[in-house]
Amino acid sequence: MPHLHHHPMSAASRFVRLILGEYGFDTELVEVEPWSRAPEFLAINPAGTLPVYMDDSMRAIVGAGVIAEFVDETHGVLKRDRRLTAEDPFERAEIRRLVDWFLFRLEQDVTRPLARERVHKLTMPPSRGGGAPDSKAMRTARANIREHMKYVAWLAATRNFLGGDRLSYADLAGAASLSVLDYLGEIDWADVPQAKDWYQRMKSRPAFRPLLADRVRSLAPVSHYADLDF
Amino acid sequence: MPHLHHHPMSAASRFVRLILGEYGFDTELVEVEPWSRAPEFLAINPAGTLPVYMDDSMRAIVGAGVIAEFVDETHGVLKRDRRLTAEDPFERAEIRRLVDWFLFRLEQDVTRPLARERVHKLTMPPSRGGGAPDSKAMRTARANIREHMKYVAWLAATRNFLGGDRLSYADLAGAASLSVLDYLGEIDWADVPQAKDWYQRMKSRPAFRPLLADRVRSLAPVSHYADLDF
């Protein structure tokens, strides 16, 4: 069975789990601490980043965007109206722009610093930067959430799905990222009803269920995390 | 004529210029200061990042990776043995992994901090972070170059081109990134003869010429920058 090296608080890993779930892939999950830099993992991916997909022949596909393209090329193109990207190159470019927005920009501005301060620092040894959270880093990240949520709300209000008319990788990357922030109770949904409505639709999809069952040892999720009617 | 919003010290912009050059596209370059966040540019790309490609209908394609995929889908696939990526999905995944390595990892570890400290700070107003370079940030970035160059040398020594047997996006992304560092005189080529040999081949390609003619007002390039026999 193929393997996915992932971490429950990695938005990029969650994005790939949603893709595999939507396409009905059976994959074994292998949890990797993103800060561990274990030699056996670096041998697979010298960048040390998550996720990494290993197929049945143990060939590694490294990185969420690369895995997404690989799955599209080897499976998605055959799915016709269930394909998770558009047929038109311009529409595909818009979907890819949004995937990058969530996995790089939101990640850098918000998701990575909050996951680091609130989750990873609790399990990291002090030599790796573990210890008390940096309240200034958390304040900066939280100040950025509001702007990002406004953008998601605008996309959700002006389009049927974030990347266009149909469910696409843009929705999966967005929902993956927001689900990490929602686990941490960092999103004020009352402020952004259109974004909430879209996220509720995403959350109700069968592919989302495993994500809602995710737990990290060090921190329980906010009470509404797995609630479909939050 | 299509436009490319770019900056001469942006590795991602140079990567796209090399792609367009290799495929013989005629494109008008529009220089954008990456730190400016000008409202008219943010209206095209709310992320404020470079490069952005505008086609003849003024439709924007945002981000180097997205532009690379778009050009491949609309032109590359027709080029047969001159296509700048592989036909096999696994080989394409390896090429994409290396493009991401150069445009995200090398960028974060080395290229962005050095371009920021040595080039952009000279033209930025103090309110945007301009002023004297941060010597600690420069030391950290320089310490990372050596490891990255070892990896490039290893790729160049074990493969005909960085991403496999043929010239591909991996070479263009790598050469684009290293050309920014070389402009700044940050690469000690004597340490890495295989990497130097590969870069010399890249530098000799006609598509590379416009990059070798690039100058930024605030800083002249190192003396061997445009020399094909450095």
Side-chain angles (χ1 to χ4, degrees), chain B residues 145-146 149-150 153 182 185-197 199-200 224 230:
Chain B
I145 292 180
R146 201 175 297 260
M149 289 310 296
K150 268 194 217 159
D182 195 45
E186 295 285 357
I187 301 178
D188 192 347
W189 293 106
D191 280 357
V192 281
Q194 298 102 330
K196 181 179 173 174
D197 176 66
Y199 185 63
Q200 209 155 24
H224 69 250
F230 55 112

Side-chain angles (χ1 to χ4, degrees), chain A residues 76-124:
Chain A
V77 290
L78 311 168
K79 296 286 177 179
R80 296 168 176 271
D81 60 339
R82 285 190 53 241
R83 185 179 178 186
L84 292 167
T85 184
E87 296 298 321
D88 174 73
F90 264 104
E91 293 173 24
R92 257 203 304 280
E94 172 65 358
I95 290 165
R96 288 188 179 115
R97 179 183 75 83
L98 290 170
V99 169
D100 284 356
W101 178 283
F102 291 116
L103 298 190
F104 295 105
R105 186 148 195 95
L106 178 63
E107 180 74 11
Q108 177 184 297
D109 292 351
V110 181
T111 324
R112 188 186 307 143
L114 285 176
R116 180 184 161 86
E117 298 303 327
R118 295 199 48 204
V119 178
H120 300 311
K121 274 196 167 180
L122 300 169
T123 51
M124 278 184 211

Side-chain angles (χ1 to χ4, degrees), chain A residues 59 73 90 92 96, chain B residues 55 59 73 90 92 96:
Chain A
R59 291 184 291 189
E73 289 170 353
F90 264 104
R92 257 203 304 280
R96 288 188 179 115
Chain B
D55 79 347
R59 291 185 291 190
E73 289 171 352
F90 264 105
R92 258 204 303 280
R96 288 189 178 114

